[in-house]
Each structure stands twice: as structure tokens, then as C-alpha cells.
Amino acid sequence: MSCVVTGGGRGVGRAVVERLLGAGDAVVVVEHDPDAVAWLAAHPAADRLAAVVGDAGDEQVAARAADLAEETGALTGWVNNAAVFRDASLHADPVGEVLDLIGRNLRPAVVGAATAVRRYLAAGTGGAIVNVSSHQARRPVPGCLPYATAKAAVEGLTRSLAVEYGPRGIRTNTVALGSIATERHAAFMAGQEPAAAEWIDAELTRLHPVGRIGRPEEVAEAVAYLLSPAAGFVNGVTLPVDGGRSVFGPDPEAR
């Protein structure tokens, strides 16, 4: 079996790749940054790994990834994880820039889903798609309008795909993430003054009812489940993988 993981070179994406490799799958990683896939060549499972460097929102890049995946086995899973973490505000930035950022986060999911659906239908085998969203799709934080809007659209896309292609043997689900301890998070924290970093860490602990932020490996387990036959009756779901952040309501008497 083979899978494609976009944005699979670092963070959550790499954890998903490692989890799928551990299950014996072949994986094609799509990454925009060549440095993000430098580790593939020395990996113990390098014979089951391939990389495509390019924009996950480019149909030709997605087609190349699908081709490589099908060379190693039946394409059974597609994970739309690639994202752009940059924002703009409606009051200060051109509307065109805001729309461009929304599109840069939404387009890779649409292109990936379209590529996967067409390949699954052509093969007649069905398959699974997992989109990666965020708690911000339903509960945005200030200053992240383009990202939150795009992720809300990704969750709508998931439901539409589930209804449209479920009867054809194609399941589509989403994981909606809380804060995760990725390299990007570590770099953000390293750039803070010690007092600010301590406050941010305390706030993130407070916001996640399990008392900590998540690990990439925990997200990978959820994604692997949704891709697997064990989730054969799970379709159109947005699964929060957020330690309870999306259901947390602050106690008004706590202060």
C-alpha cells in the first residue's frame, strides 16, 4: 500500500510519514522546501520513501506524487497537511492579499483531494483522504483570519467529499489540531523573552484540558487510524485532536 503526505518533511507531517512507514506502507512526501526532505535518503526505510519538491497546490506536483505512489503499490491514502502560516488583516491589508492567503491554504487540500479521488476512481479500489485542520476553524483566535477561514473551508470540503464520493468507496475525514509541539512552535517560543515564554506556556497549558500541548506522534496516530480499514465506517468526520481545547469553556469565577 502507498500514501501521499503533503507537507510531510517536518512537524506533524513528518510524524505521519514515520507512522505510516512503521505500518509497512510506502510514502511519497510533497514539500515546497528541498531542505525539508533531506533526511529521506538516509532513512532506514528509504526504499519505501520518495519525495516531490514543489507546491502542493500545483496539480502537476500532485500528479507526480500520485504517479510515484502508484509505482510502489496501490494508492490507498492521501493526507493534505501542507499549510501556510502567514496572516493578514482586513483593516490593514489589501483584500486581494487576504484572499490569496486563504487560497494558499485551501488550494492544496482541493488539489490533493481531486488528485486522490481521480486516482481512486480510475483504479476502482476506493481509498481514504485525511485533511488537516485546526481548532481555529470553529473557534478562531484574533489575528488569524485567513488561516481560520481556509481551515473552515477545508472542513466543509471534507463533508462534501464524504457525501459525494462515499458511495464510490472513498472516505474523507479531517483532524482538527490544537497546539502541537512542532519545530515551528519551538522556534516561536525560542524567540520570546523568558517571561513571555513562561506566560505563553502557562496559557497553552490552561487552554488544553489535558494540561499540555500535543505531540506530533499523537496526531499521527489519529491520522493513521482514519486512513486504515479500522475506520471503514468513519466518513465526513472532523476529529478534534486537541486535548479538549475545542470544548473548553473558561470558568467565569476562576479569577
Side-chain angles (χ1 to χ4, degrees):
M1 303 298 183
S2 64
C3 300
V4 173
V5 179
T6 70
R10 297 188 176 102
V12 166
R14 178 166 178 175
V16 171
V17 171
E18 297 282 7
R19 176 62 177 80
L20 296 175
L21 289 171
D25 293 330
V27 184
V28 177
V29 178
V30 179
E31 266 291 352
H32 191 267
D33 180 5
D35 292 340
V37 292
W39 57 270
L40 269 69
H43 195 281
D47 60 323
R48 290 186 283 117
L49 271 169
V52 176
V53 176
D55 184 348
D58 184 324
E59 291 180 77
Q60 291 184 335
V61 169
R64 174 61 178 154
D67 289 343
L68 287 174
E70 290 176 336
E71 287 177 7
T72 58
L75 176 63
T76 60
W78 193 290
V79 181
N80 288 312
N81 172 67
V84 175
F85 298 101
R86 187 166 68 82
D87 282 289
S89 57
L90 287 178
H91 69 279
D93 299 292
V95 170
E97 182 176 339
V98 175
L99 288 169
D100 178 65
L101 285 170
I102 293 171
R104 289 175 64 186
N105 271 303
L106 176 59
R107 182 178 174 88
V110 175
V111 169
T115 304
V117 163
R118 292 169 186 174
R119 297 301 177 106
Y120 294 155
L121 293 178
T125 56
I129 299 167
V130 175
N131 296 318
V132 177
S133 182
S134 164
H135 65 94
Q136 292 200 51
R138 299 191 183 191
R139 301 183 70 176
V141 300
C144 298
L145 184 149
Y147 182 77
T149 301
K151 291 305 186 182
V154 166
E155 294 186 8
L157 172 69
T158 295
R159 293 187 288 273
S160 296
L161 290 167
V163 171
E164 190 81 14
Y165 297 105
R168 309 288 292 276
I170 301 170
R171 296 182 300 106
T172 307
N173 294 289
T174 290
V175 289
L177 310 186
S179 297
I180 307 295
T182 62
E183 298 98 319
R184 191 175 67 88
H185 175 77
F188 168 75
M189 294 295 284
Q192 305 297 315
E193 294 294 329
E198 184 177 351
W199 180 83
I200 292 168
D201 186 62
E203 281 296 289
L204 290 177
T205 297
R206 182 182 68 83
L207 287 170
H208 296 79
V210 297
R212 60 174 175 83
I213 64 174
R215 297 186 293 270
E217 295 78 12
E218 293 173 313
V219 180
E221 288 293 339
V223 172
Y225 164 70
L226 292 173
L227 289 175
S228 75
F233 201 54
V234 182
N235 187 37
V237 164
T238 293
L239 174 65
V241 185
D242 65 0
R245 180 169 182 168
S246 59
V247 296
F248 173 62
D251 181 354
E253 299 181 0
R255 298 182 185 276

